[in-house]
Amino acid sequence: GAAQNLYMMKTKYHLSIFLIALFAGLMAFVTDVAAKEYYGIEIGGVEITSDNYTNISASGGFPTVKSGTVTFDPATNTLTLNNATIEGYIYSTHDSKSYTIVLQGNNTLKHKAPIYVKQSLRITGGGSLTIESGNIAIDVGRDLTIDGCTIAADRRIDVRGSLQINNSNIYVNDPNDGFTFRVSNGITLSGCKITYPAGAKIKRMKGFDGIGYTVVTASGELCEKVRISTGSNPEPEQPAQLTLE
């Protein structure tokens, strides 16, 4: 009897130790899964998370980042490109987060749909961005603000909210579509103006999946090339393929 009781007690003890170990292991696994936070934005198909955001580079698991420095601040949802070349897209389908892209130095983005953000986007920072696109250069689900930077794009800019351009130099050249902007709720320029074509203006047009705003020539025709300039001297050099005159 005593030996059997001792055996039973030992068995129960070992079982409880096993269960405690199992529970601890499960908790560690659950905590690990919960700790990995997704920030709602990806570069070249790789999501930026709490695990990888401190090393957004080819060696850090982002193969489309070819050169330069890319950083992300989760507190402000800000992606900074510093003399970066990315042969992939910047993409966000997050339902509530808006994002900021800060441009430092000269940056290049190459992809058939280089920038898509479901909510609002602000592009700022004083640097430049050259976009080599196969379809739409910048596609934003709500509002787009371009603030104090230079952007050269070889396809159009689509915005389903409003477009605000402040103190920026923007070159858009889209012979494929024959127009440069498609904006649902209006285009506002501050500290810069349309300098090419001469006499061009912002106009509300029917036929853009409903009614939208774009830039038209003095005679009201759609423009396939538009230059918006601060008029500051010297003006930033344009990429050869975007020569407007």
Side-chain angles (χ1 to χ4, degrees):
Q4 193 175 2
N5 283 344
L6 187 63
Y7 173 75
M8 290 295 286
M9 281 172 69
K10 275 187 170 176
T11 305
K12 280 181 180 171
Y13 174 74
H14 287 141
L15 183 63
S16 60
I17 291 290
F18 171 74
L19 288 172
I20 288 165
L22 181 68
F23 181 71
L26 281 171
M27 284 309 292
F29 174 73
V30 169
T31 306
D32 186 53
V33 170
K36 186 175 180 177
E37 195 180 339
Y38 291 86
Y39 296 136
I41 187 167
E42 51 188 79
I43 296 178
V46 180
E47 288 208 58
I48 300 177
T49 71
S50 53
D51 286 0
N52 65 17
Y53 82 97
T54 56
N55 186 11
I56 301 174
S57 63
S59 62
F62 292 85
T64 60
V65 177
K66 300 300 181 186
S67 62
T69 308
V70 180
T71 55
F72 184 73
D73 179 2
T76 58
N77 298 317
T78 299
L79 186 72
T80 300
L81 309 183
N82 189 334
N83 291 301
T85 296
I86 300 173
E87 294 180 4
Y89 53 78
I90 296 169
Y91 189 80
S92 170
T93 56
H94 200 281
D95 286 327
S96 60
K97 284 184 182 177
S98 292
Y99 293 87
T100 299
I101 296 174
V102 174
L103 303 175
Q104 297 175 346
N106 300 315
N107 302 279
T108 303
L109 203 49
K110 302 176 186 180
H111 190 261
K112 64 178 184 286
I115 298 176
Y116 173 78
V117 173
K118 187 175 181 178
Q119 295 295 312
S120 293
L121 175 65
R122 182 168 178 254
I123 304 175
T124 186
S128 72
L129 177 63
T130 299
I131 299 175
E132 298 176 19
S133 170
N135 192 350
I136 301 169
I138 303 174
D139 190 359
V140 177
R142 294 187 75 174
D143 299 334
L144 172 62
T145 304
I146 300 172
D147 200 12
C149 50
T150 298
I151 296 176
D154 65 353
R155 294 300 292 268
R156 71 176 196 263
I157 294 172
D158 270 23
V159 183
R160 278 172 287 290
S162 60
L163 171 60
Q164 173 79 41
I165 301 173
N166 305 324
N167 305 306
S168 293
N169 295 292
I170 312 290
Y171 315 109
V172 184
N173 177 21
D174 193 337
N176 299 68
D177 290 320
F179 62 95
T180 47
F181 297 92
R182 179 168 67 179
V183 181
S184 298
N185 297 339
I187 302 169
T188 309
L189 307 182
S190 173
C192 50
K193 59 185 187 291
I194 301 167
T195 55
Y196 182 91
K201 52 189 180 282
I202 295 158
K203 191 179 178 190
R204 194 165 177 248
M205 303 279 283
K206 284 184 179 174
F208 283 166
D209 301 332
I211 295 171
Y213 292 80
T214 191
V215 176
V216 297
T217 64
S219 59
E221 301 294 310
L222 288 170
C223 301
E224 67 177 47
K225 291 180 185 179
V226 169
R227 177 166 65 191
I228 293 167
S229 174
T230 57
S232 59
N233 206 14
E235 195 165 302
E237 215 174 291
Q238 290 183 71
Q241 77 271 23
L242 294 180
T243 303
L244 297 176
E245 271 78 35

